[in-house]
Amino acid sequence: MLVTADSRAILTDALERRLSGQASGKIADAIPCPASLSQLEKSAWLALQNWSSDEVLRESFASHAEYSRNRLKHLLQVLQ
């Protein structure tokens, strides 16, 4: 599996932005095809995709919001 510094940097930056409340744009625009990413990078890519689409769930369910934030934090730690 291909792991590049660029994909890690993009994913790390996007995770940091999401966790700080900043919009980071669509991850699919920066990395349109996650097929060449490592399994860990794919997990981060998918978590960022999910974060974009589940805002209503996070607002409605505190436990889901906490889980989602913790997931992003964990992925950020292991990517760094």
Side-chain angles (χ1 to χ4, degrees):
M1 292 187 201
L2 178 65
V3 178
T4 66
D6 290 339
S7 60
R8 289 247 169 153
I10 291 167
L11 290 164
T12 299
D13 180 63
L15 288 166
E16 288 172 342
R17 288 175 179 266
R18 295 292 172 145
L19 287 167
S20 69
Q22 300 174 20
S24 64
K26 293 184 179 180
I27 194 66
D29 291 342
I31 304 174
C33 181
S36 65
L37 300 176
S38 71
Q39 198 62 35
L40 175 60
E41 290 173 326
K42 285 179 187 175
S43 292
W45 187 91
L46 184 58
L48 288 163
Q49 286 286 92
N50 290 343
W51 184 269
S52 296
S53 63
D54 72 357
E55 183 176 357
V56 172
L57 288 174
R58 288 193 314 276
E59 290 173 353
S60 301
F61 303 100
S63 61
H64 182 71
E66 181 181 3
Y67 171 80
S68 295
R69 273 190 303 278
N70 288 340
R71 179 75 177 134
L72 293 186
K73 287 177 187 177
H74 171 75
L75 289 165
L76 179 59
Q77 287 177 333
V78 294
L79 281 171
Q80 291 177 324

